[in-house]
Amino acid sequence: MSEDRQTGRQDRSGFEDDVAEATFAPSSPAESGSPASDWLADEPVVLAAIPQVADPSPIGWLARRRHRLQRWWRGASHNLRGSVYMMSALLVYAVMVGSIKHVGGVIPLVQILLIRQIIMSVIIVAFSAGSLGPMLRTTRPGLQVVRSVLTLISMLCGFTAIIKIPLAQATAIGFSQVLFVTIAAVLVLKEVVDARRWAATIIGFAGVLIMLRPSGDGLDLYAMMAVGGAVFGAGITVSVRMLAATERTDTILIYQGLVLIALLAVPGWLFWVPPTTEQWLWLLVLSLFGTAGQWLITRAYQVGEAAALAPLDFSRLILASLTGFVFFAEIPALSTWIGAAIVIGATLYTIRKNARPLVVPTASA
């Protein structure tokens, strides 16, 4: 319930709050019943009521709207706040993905990733507020390097697919990452998966196969790269789970930056294509929006519950379809929608099962 409803002041225009009530001081010390000095000190004389109207300027209007928005945000539930962060992240990522597809046809991907990672690392260091030393301390440097390498391979595969095949198809195949996480959790984390989750995983892979559209000529190479991005993305998820117990988020991100810049420096220099002014603008946009998206989605899962937020991720398919249609004249094939529906259904079931605590049967006495 908002503060407006609690105070019974909803539906008011806001101007009443800005009107001062008339106040009058006693006309003399005798009427107040106190010495003159006390009267002069404690009772200011208001000769006339001066009504004050709300500032009609655009600045005053924006200030009132901002105040009301702040009150609404403070009264919102954790999941609602997380949902706002999540949807903001998805919108930001849509801009980033569209920018990558736009410049990816003329700028080598290794160069795009190098520039993106340099800008992201600079932003992280700039916001470290002098805590670079603690940020660099890690108890698992080997796993930090492994996770960073997995990140690089996942981005190379996933972004190549985004550049070469329709955005909706690449995005829909990327949803299979949750299914690969199920397998990786069993193999690496030794988690217990019941028969229903295995069934959902198998059904989900059937949806991926539909989107790949195998034919006599084999599978689409770039669609398979989208699958590869999902596989290595699952590896990232598992490695982050292993690092979460001892490592800070900014530590994970700064090591990612150091490793990726080191690995991309030589190929980025060898395949360097001098960007035009317009291309530099797009490179800056995708770097800034990529950094903002990563922060927003991290913040979303810090504030809200994963089971409540994860279904919103499928809005990416709608955004990708719109972006591909409006800016790149892409029309998703029917097989993409059928396969995506199967993958989304299997993924939602897996997420719901993951949100439930595992019930371990107790031995009967």
Side-chain angles (χ1 to χ4, degrees):
M1 180 179 294
S2 66
E3 292 183 19
D4 282 337
R5 292 188 179 276
Q6 291 174 356
T7 56
R9 290 165 54 188
Q10 71 275 24
D11 303 326
R12 289 179 57 176
S13 64
F15 287 91
E16 295 90 343
D17 298 335
D18 299 320
V19 180
E21 295 181 356
T23 55
F24 297 91
S27 59
S28 67
E31 293 177 8
S32 66
S34 60
S37 60
D38 294 341
W39 173 69
L40 291 173
D42 298 334
E43 298 289 339
V45 179
V46 180
L47 298 178
I50 304 177
Q52 299 178 3
V53 297
D55 185 358
S57 66
I59 296 178
W61 182 86
L62 288 174
R64 292 194 301 275
R65 293 302 180 271
R66 182 178 60 190
H67 177 66
R68 292 180 180 178
L69 182 61
Q70 289 173 344
R71 289 194 301 175
W72 172 83
W73 183 255
R74 287 193 297 266
S77 66
H78 293 299
N79 282 339
L80 180 55
R81 292 188 193 181
S83 298
V84 172
Y85 282 124
M86 174 65 80
M87 294 306 299
S88 301
L90 298 182
L91 291 172
V92 166
Y93 273 136
V95 176
M96 182 199 72
V97 168
S99 303
I100 290 176
K101 192 173 182 69
H102 177 68
V103 300
V106 290
I107 303 295
L109 182 57
V110 289
Q111 180 179 339
I112 294 174
L113 295 180
L114 176 61
I115 295 173
R116 176 180 182 267
Q117 197 59 60
I118 290 174
I119 294 177
M120 181 179 294
S121 299
V122 169
I123 294 174
I124 293 171
V125 172
F127 280 90
S128 65
S131 61
L132 185 59
M135 187 188 301
L136 292 173
R137 284 199 291 267
T138 178
T139 59
R140 310 188 74 174
L143 188 56
Q144 294 278 13
V145 173
V146 169
R147 180 205 168 272
S148 301
V149 172
L150 291 174
T151 300
L152 176 58
I153 299 175
S154 177
M155 288 195 297
L156 287 172
C157 292
F159 289 159
T160 299
I162 285 172
I163 294 170
K164 297 296 184 180
I165 64 177
L167 279 176
Q169 184 182 7
T171 302
I173 294 175
F175 291 146
S176 63
Q177 177 175 324
V178 175
L179 308 176
F180 289 111
V181 168
T182 300
I183 298 175
V186 173
L187 298 178
V188 179
L189 302 179
K190 308 301 180 184
E191 293 184 0
V192 178
V193 175
D194 59 21
R196 292 182 180 180
R197 283 172 61 187
W198 278 121
T201 302
I202 294 173
I203 293 173
F205 285 140
V208 173
L209 194 61
I210 292 174
M211 287 187 286
L212 293 178
R213 289 180 293 178
S215 62
D217 298 329
L219 298 173
D220 186 337
L221 173 62
Y222 297 116
M224 286 300 298
M225 293 192 74
V227 176
V231 171
F232 287 102
I236 297 170
T237 301
V238 172
S239 62
V240 168
R241 288 186 187 179
M242 298 171 68
L243 289 168
T246 58
E247 306 297 309
R248 295 169 23 167
T249 301
D250 52 3
T251 299
I252 296 174
L253 294 179
I254 197 63
Y255 271 95
Q256 171 186 313
L258 293 173
V259 173
L260 264 61
I261 291 172
L263 294 176
L264 291 169
V266 173
W269 175 70
L270 290 175
F271 296 99
W272 185 270
V273 173
T276 64
T277 302
E278 179 189 357
Q279 290 166 352
W280 270 118
L281 177 62
W282 284 110
L283 290 169
L284 181 62
V285 166
L286 70 89
S287 301
L288 294 176
F289 275 65
T291 304
Q294 195 158 13
W295 183 88
L296 284 167
I297 203 165
T298 301
R299 185 60 180 155
Y301 281 107
Q302 287 176 334
V303 173
E305 299 174 355
L309 299 179
L312 296 176
D313 190 40
F314 297 113
S315 302
R316 281 193 297 130
L317 182 57
I318 299 175
L319 294 174
S321 301
L322 290 175
T323 303
F325 177 76
V326 173
F327 296 100
F328 304 102
E330 297 174 348
I331 300 177
L334 179 61
S335 59
T336 298
W337 291 112
I338 296 174
I342 296 173
V343 171
I344 289 173
T347 304
L348 281 174
Y349 180 81
T350 302
I351 291 170
R352 288 174 61 88
K353 290 290 291 184
N354 289 343
R356 299 173 185 171
L358 180 63
V359 179
V360 179
T362 57
S364 56

